[in-house]
Amino acid sequence: MTLAIQLTVKRGAFTLELNHSLPLHGVTALFGRSGCGKTTLLRAIAGLDRHAKAQIRCNDVVWQQGNHFMPVHQRRIGMVFQHSSLLPHLTVLQNLLYGFKRRLKHSAVQLEPAQVISLLELESLLQLQPEQLSGGQRQRIALGRALLSQPELLLLDEPLASLDQQSRNEILSFLQRVANQTGIPMLLVSHQLDDVVKLADQLVLMQHGRIISQGPLPQQLLQPELAVISAMSLLYAQSHGCHNHLLQLSIGKQQLQLPAPLSNTGTQTAYRLRIQARDVALSLTPLTDSSVSNQLQVSISGFNNAPHPAETLVQLNLEGQPLQALLTKQSVERLGLQVGQQVYAQIKAVALD
Amino acid sequence: MMPELFVALSPQDWQAIRLTLKLCLYTTAILLLLATPLAWWLALRQSKLRTAIQAIVALPLVLPPTVLGFYLLLLLGPHGAIGSTLERLGVSHLAFSFSGILIGSVIYSLPFAVQPLLESFRRMGAGPLEVAATLGAGKLDQLFSVVLPLCRGGFIVAATLTFAHTLGEFGVILMLGGSIPGETQVLSVLIYDHTEAMNYAQAHQLSLGLLISAFVVLFIVYGLNRRFEREAVL
């Protein structure tokens, strides 16, 4: 799916100006600081706000152009809002079916209520009223309700922002499940890089009302604007099962072993590895007398400024995937590191998704 | 000495009761249709006109009914802008007619219909409607599946307050409609006439009736208000 957007919004001193084509598949994060125009863009895509200077096309369907404006209820979108959006006069089940019943007439059913209810584990909540639910449960139901409206695109407007950490993680894993099992493209607005890195495949970076870059998440993480917030890398690895509670992973020809997640069911074959740049050390030769057992052969592809003046971000190429290491400038000089050089990366900590 | 109660209601009394109920029902129905879009616009649209419109809607709260009645008489009477136009079109002018006092009551009770609706639309906010729209509900669908159930309290309070307020209307009707039996002689006017004619017993009977029904209606309104506030807190 491709969204072609031309949009100009002026509001006081703030100007949003875009002319972009966003290829959407999997989860695309719309990332930027508060006030950069993410939500404005999302609401324009949904049709919740009508701006005079806007042209929006979804694949071949024109959503807005000149005087033509397709109203929200005719766009095939599902939306999850930041705050609880359940209709308070309806039960959980009635909320879930609100969109399903209305879209039923116009489109083939791809997702049945029973499927969504089991996917999001909503069985025990169906007869409750919204006010009896926790924040996390409400967002889970809002997500299910959006899915049941048979959307071609899911728009998520900071769906985790009003939740506590535990509920955040819960909803994140449900969102992962939805992304993997339904294949519906998602556009996720967020200003939390941590959430984005757990979930997104692609990232659209916004700043001061403009899109300054877009592309696959691992490459986007090298952008200086993101490295300032949190220098980290995202690697995709294949799993080959467990041995002595250690997950056997491979990236290209190289092997890693990591403590298996306790909830591991052994069915997951692809993992996302989040690695902080400060948890990566470099050596010129493989270390044999170190406790760090995950040691990967990489080549240096570049250097970037780090937030701290004494440090440098070293960009590495690991079997075609980017990896970053945070070193002091002193270490870089002492080892004589240069672009193109083969080195060994010791990885001290990994978060698995 | 208190005048005696429970004299038989005269046919004139019954006629006034029927006329008053008719005026109240018509006013309430018309105002619900008018006040709903007006309150909606006031609650959810940002416009420079809003303050002016809000002030105009609230005018009947502060103006003496005689002022309102006076200007309506000028406008709707045989020499007024609207009245004379109607005459030219071969229709009778509206002073001293039921249609005239109906227009008067609609304007006079406007704030009582708009305020509770405005309040409940504001409490609901635009959020639930946006949610409904993203789930495939068009405007009319939103009105019936979201606005009516969520603002039920506001509608009930608006209707009862309008009804009760029209019941107690006197000044506007006297100015604009006079006291024509069966046409403009509503209960409040008839009570005035009875009193003028020293028929204290009949005046007392009708007054007590109005007093009790006004109390009952307000009791219901406040009861409902409490219930809906509790619902809103939940």
Side-chain angles (χ1 to χ4, degrees):
Chain A
M1 163 176 290
T2 305
L3 269 183
I5 302 167
Q6 241 177 296
L7 180 64
T8 307
V9 181
K10 284 199 171 68
R11 207 181 287 142
F14 172 78
T15 309
L16 176 79
E17 198 155 16
L18 306 171
N19 187 355
H20 280 266
S21 175
L22 304 177
L24 301 177
H25 45 85
V27 181
T28 305
L30 197 54
F31 181 81
R33 300 174 74 158
S34 301
C36 73
K38 311 180 294 281
T39 296
T40 306
L41 172 58
L42 199 74
R43 290 178 59 88
I45 293 172
L48 289 170
D49 294 323
R50 182 174 182 170
H51 301 288
K53 290 184 187 166
Q55 194 176 320
I56 300 171
R57 265 188 306 118
C58 174
N59 289 340
D60 295 329
V61 184
V62 177
W63 281 359
Q64 188 177 357
Q65 187 166 27
N67 288 328
H68 171 77
F69 181 81
M70 186 190 278
V72 188
H73 68 276
Q74 288 172 10
R75 302 185 186 193
R76 291 285 305 280
I77 50 155
M79 188 148 177
V80 179
F81 294 81
Q82 175 172 354
H83 299 289
S84 164
S85 62
L86 297 185
L87 295 169
H89 59 295
L90 302 179
T91 64
V92 168
L93 184 62
Q94 288 169 326
N95 263 288
L96 283 171
L97 297 179
Y98 188 93
F100 180 72
K101 284 194 253 173
R102 283 167 174 80
R103 291 265 164 78
L104 206 54
K105 305 167 212 157
H106 308 292
S107 59
V109 174
Q110 302 153 343
L111 283 167
E112 293 286 349
Q115 260 175 292
V116 170
I117 289 167
S118 89
L119 179 71
L120 298 174
E121 299 171 15
L122 300 173
E123 293 85 352
S124 60
L125 306 175
L126 296 177
Q127 297 311 322
L128 298 180
Q129 293 290 329
E131 76 248 15
Q132 295 170 282
L133 305 169
S134 71
Q137 290 171 328
R138 287 178 199 191
Q139 287 304 62
R140 210 173 348 140
I141 289 151
L143 177 61
R145 183 177 62 178
L147 284 173
L148 279 175
S149 70
Q150 316 296 324
E152 285 169 358
L153 170 65
L154 260 184
L155 303 173
L156 309 165
D157 186 10
E158 310 239 15
L160 309 165
S162 55
L163 301 179
D164 58 72
Q165 194 56 48
Q166 198 186 340
S167 313
R168 282 178 101 87
N169 292 338
E170 220 177 85
I171 297 291
L172 268 171
S173 65
F174 279 115
L175 283 170
Q176 274 162 350
R177 222 190 258 189
V178 168
N180 294 338
Q181 298 190 19
T182 66
I184 299 170
M186 295 194 211
L187 189 57
L188 168 76
V189 164
S190 178
H191 65 273
Q192 292 286 335
L193 194 56
D194 292 345
D195 298 339
V196 166
V197 175
K198 285 178 195 164
L199 194 60
D201 307 304
Q202 303 162 87
L203 186 136
V204 176
L205 183 58
M206 283 188 78
Q207 205 173 45
H208 308 308
R210 284 165 198 279
I211 290 178
I212 57 172
S213 74
Q214 63 184 90
L217 181 60
Q219 281 73 26
Q220 289 290 302
L221 286 173
L222 307 179
Q223 293 282 341
E225 287 82 2
L226 295 183
V228 169
I229 303 167
S230 175
M232 65 169 110
S233 318
L234 175 66
L235 298 173
Y236 295 105
Q238 296 298 317
S239 156
H240 306 284
C242 261
H243 184 63
N244 289 342
H245 301 292
L246 286 173
L247 203 56
Q248 311 292 314
L249 296 169
S250 70
I251 297 174
K253 294 187 291 288
Q254 311 206 40
Q255 311 295 321
L256 277 95
Q257 292 185 328
L258 294 170
L262 292 176
S263 58
N264 187 33
T265 52
T267 51
Q268 194 175 343
T269 56
Y271 281 90
R272 295 159 66 105
L273 277 51
R274 282 176 284 133
I275 302 167
Q276 299 291 331
R278 77 171 65 85
D279 291 330
V280 179
L282 297 180
S283 66
L284 298 177
T285 53
L287 299 184
T288 49
D289 53 356
S290 160
S291 67
V292 178
S293 55
N294 286 316
Q295 193 156 214
L296 304 167
Q297 203 181 357
V298 295
S299 65
I300 297 176
S301 52
F303 297 93
N304 244 347
N305 288 331
H308 195 282
E311 293 174 330
T312 295
L313 275 170
V314 185
Q315 297 181 347
L316 308 162
N317 181 337
L318 165 63
E319 306 273 330
Q321 299 193 42
L323 178 68
Q324 305 191 85
L326 184 66
L327 305 185
T328 60
K329 285 181 178 162
Q330 211 179 355
S331 304
V332 173
E333 263 174 46
R334 183 164 51 82
L335 296 178
L337 299 181
Q338 282 168 359
V339 172
Q341 197 174 353
Q342 297 284 326
V343 290
Y344 293 87
Q346 286 86 37
I347 295 172
K348 288 177 280 188
V350 174
L352 270 180
D353 288 308
Chain B
M1 191 187 103
M2 285 287 280
E4 67 173 307
L5 264 176
F6 307 119
V7 289
L9 287 171
S10 67
Q12 194 190 15
D13 292 340
W14 280 115
Q15 195 178 35
I17 291 174
R18 277 198 303 275
L19 184 68
T20 306
L21 288 179
K22 181 173 148 193
L23 182 68
C24 291
L25 285 175
Y26 280 30
T27 305
T28 308
I30 292 172
L31 264 183
L32 281 183
L33 290 179
L34 280 183
T36 304
L38 185 58
W40 186 258
W41 184 82
L42 286 172
L44 298 175
R45 293 272 177 276
Q46 299 294 330
S47 161
K48 284 172 191 150
L49 267 177
R50 202 174 70 174
T51 318
I53 301 282
Q54 235 173 336
I56 292 172
V57 169
L59 268 184
L61 287 177
V62 292
L63 277 184
T66 42
V67 172
L68 201 61
F70 176 70
Y71 281 114
L72 281 172
L73 184 62
L74 287 190
L75 261 178
L76 303 178
H79 305 296
I82 297 175
S84 63
T85 313
L86 286 174
E87 294 272 285
R88 266 202 306 280
L89 292 172
V91 192
S92 138
H93 68 86
L94 295 173
F96 311 111
S97 70
F98 179 76
S99 309
I101 62 168
L102 182 57
I103 293 175
S105 337
V106 164
I107 295 173
Y108 186 53
S109 293
L110 186 63
F112 292 86
V114 170
Q115 275 309 327
L117 289 177
L118 180 59
E119 192 62 29
S120 66
F121 291 162
R122 279 215 181 117
R123 199 155 37 181
M124 176 185 72
L129 302 177
E130 293 189 341
V131 169
T134 63
L135 292 168
K139 291 278 177 219
L140 203 62
D141 188 355
Q142 289 169 34
L143 177 68
F144 287 105
S145 66
V146 179
V147 179
L148 285 181
L150 281 182
C151 299
R152 192 177 41 153
F155 280 100
I156 294 175
V157 171
T160 22
L161 274 183
T162 304
F163 191 93
H165 190 240
T166 309
L167 205 59
E169 195 180 338
F170 175 66
V172 179
I173 294 180
L174 201 62
M175 291 292 286
L176 181 62
S179 178
I180 304 165
E183 187 71 22
T184 63
Q185 192 182 56
V186 294
L187 273 174
S188 58
V189 174
L190 184 59
I191 290 168
Y192 179 75
D193 290 348
H194 279 320
T195 315
E196 287 271 271
M198 308 287 275
N199 295 330
Y200 276 34
Q202 273 160 308
H204 190 196
Q205 184 168 250
L206 293 177
S207 298
L208 193 65
L210 266 188
L211 182 78
I212 292 170
S213 33
F215 173 78
V216 169
V217 169
L218 289 179
F219 187 83
I220 292 170
V221 168
Y222 287 118
L224 286 173
N225 248 343
R226 268 188 56 186
R227 196 178 124 204
F228 289 121
E229 263 164 32
R230 257 207 314 275
E231 275 180 17
V233 169
L234 282 174

